[in-house]
Amino acid sequence: MDIRHLKYFMEVVRYRSFTKAADSLHVTQPTISKMVKSIEEELGVVLLDRSGKHVVPTDAGEAMLQQAQLIVNAFDSLSSDLADIVQLKKGKIRIGLPPMAGARFFPKVIGEFRRQYPLIRLELIEDGAKKIAQNVESGSLDIGVVVLPTDGELFDSFAFVRENLMLLVHPAHPLASAESVPLQALKEEPFLLFRDDFALHDRIPAACIEAGFQPNVVFESSQWDFISEMVAADLGIAMLPETICRHLDYRRIAAVKLTPPGIPWHLAMIWRKEAYMSYALKEWIRFAKEKLAPGSGG
């Protein structure tokens, strides 16, 4: 028995006639009679009384009719919901965004996506890139933004930002007027760093160690704006991406290039390889690639 059997049975009860039900369904009368008979044989009960001028349901048929209506209604509702999902009228995407990337690259993209797909819910979770990668791997996030490099065996990805970190110092700092600064020149400086679930928490000290010294970290935070304010208060030095530095008040903070090769800040969106991808997620990836591509204005 399948959903078509139930619909045929319901039409026979509705018209109280096999012939009229067949005309309504655009099938032959023997076809619909055979289908209803197969239901009766499968269930071991008589569903229709065929002895009178009109076909009427038996007591078993009345019970069957009630359940058939519920099942057909649920099936039709499911079909409608699935159509909405396939046509991108419904859906939910859980997106992990680090504070710096979320603030500078995504408000416009998210706004345009929501205008185009108003019933797709975007659930935004702000966290450090390391935590985001862990949550994408575990499945608690569908997609997330991280600092490259990432694990190519676990994730598919597309990169959309390639920048370097800039050195932030107080305007009165001796290095504030330098054209560029080598990392070795910072070995005696107090560092203001991101907390340990951020990629830069590891990236900056690793670069310093490669340059021959262990940085003196005096404060850690999850907020780039708080870190920059600490620099403005002359409490230490920090390193932030070029994009963030463009929005700083240079009367209060000086941004200086690091001598090449510097410290890269390359961003990418990642999602789990071979994991199921909803229609909404596929469209978000396509949309974000288009909007974040160089020269797109996004």
Side-chain angles (χ1 to χ4, degrees):
M1 187 192 320
D2 59 28
I3 198 73
R4 187 175 51 161
H5 288 74
L6 298 179
K7 288 183 175 180
Y8 282 15
F9 167 73
M10 290 170 61
E11 285 295 282
V12 173
V13 173
R14 177 186 174 193
Y15 286 103
R16 297 196 298 170
S17 164
F18 283 96
T19 301
K20 290 181 179 178
D23 290 342
S24 171
L25 294 166
H26 306 291
V27 297
T28 64
Q29 189 271 337
T31 297
I32 200 168
S33 296
K34 183 178 180 181
M35 280 213 172
V36 173
K37 187 65 176 177
S38 71
I39 300 175
E40 292 178 320
E41 290 176 352
E42 182 176 340
L43 297 177
V45 295
V46 176
L47 298 175
L48 298 172
D49 181 356
R50 302 163 174 81
S51 61
K53 183 178 180 180
H54 298 293
V55 178
V56 295
T58 63
D59 51 353
E62 289 287 359
M64 178 70 178
L65 180 63
Q66 292 181 17
Q67 295 302 315
Q69 287 174 332
L70 293 174
I71 293 169
V72 169
N73 289 343
F75 181 83
D76 289 343
S77 177
L78 173 61
S79 298
S80 176
D81 284 346
L82 290 176
D84 285 348
I85 289 169
V86 172
Q87 296 167 18
L88 299 174
K89 294 179 181 178
K90 289 183 180 178
K92 182 177 82 168
I93 311 170
R94 301 163 299 175
I95 305 173
L97 294 175
M100 288 186 290
R104 294 303 169 194
F105 297 100
F106 284 92
K108 184 177 179 181
V109 178
I110 290 168
E112 291 184 10
F113 187 86
R114 291 198 62 184
R115 281 190 292 274
Q116 189 164 336
Y117 304 106
L119 297 183
I120 294 180
R121 178 184 167 195
L122 299 181
E123 185 176 317
L124 306 177
I125 295 90
E126 189 177 65
D127 221 324
K130 288 167 61 178
K131 185 70 176 296
I132 287 171
Q134 293 169 5
N135 289 339
V136 172
E137 181 183 356
S138 71
S140 60
L141 288 175
D142 299 308
I143 194 166
V145 174
V146 301
V147 179
L148 292 174
T150 189
D151 191 334
E153 293 186 0
L154 287 176
F155 305 117
D156 284 321
S157 64
F158 79 89
F160 60 94
V161 171
R162 292 190 178 276
E163 295 184 356
N164 289 315
L165 298 185
M166 299 279 285
L167 171 66
L168 301 187
V169 297
H170 188 273
H173 194 284
L175 297 174
S177 59
E179 183 175 337
S180 65
V181 175
L183 277 175
Q184 294 91 331
L186 305 176
K187 63 182 180 180
E188 302 298 332
E189 299 290 340
F191 276 70
L192 307 171
L193 205 62
F194 284 93
R195 70 187 189 198
D196 60 5
D197 53 346
F198 286 71
L200 293 183
H201 176 87
D202 298 332
R203 189 71 51 84
I204 293 171
C208 293
I209 291 170
E210 189 173 344
F213 70 97
Q214 180 74 43
N216 173 29
V217 179
V218 296
F219 182 77
E220 295 181 359
S221 173
S222 63
Q223 302 297 322
W224 67 264
D225 50 351
F226 186 48
I227 288 175
S228 64
E229 285 299 316
M230 296 279 280
V231 174
D234 201 17
L235 297 175
I237 66 166
M239 295 177 191
L240 291 179
E242 296 170 31
T243 294
I244 299 298
C245 293
R246 295 189 195 110
H247 300 274
L248 298 175
D249 183 352
Y250 289 137
R251 296 169 299 180
R252 304 173 61 238
I253 301 170
V256 184
K257 291 182 178 180
L258 291 168
T259 298
I263 304 175
W265 191 67
H266 299 170
L267 297 182
M269 277 195 172
I270 62 167
W271 56 96
R272 284 184 301 162
K273 280 189 172 181
E274 300 179 1
Y276 172 76
M277 294 178 67
S278 68
Y279 288 90
L281 179 58
K282 289 177 184 177
E283 179 58 14
W284 166 256
I285 292 171
R286 185 206 65 78
F287 190 91
K289 282 182 178 180
E290 178 185 303
K291 297 299 179 182
L292 294 171
S296 68

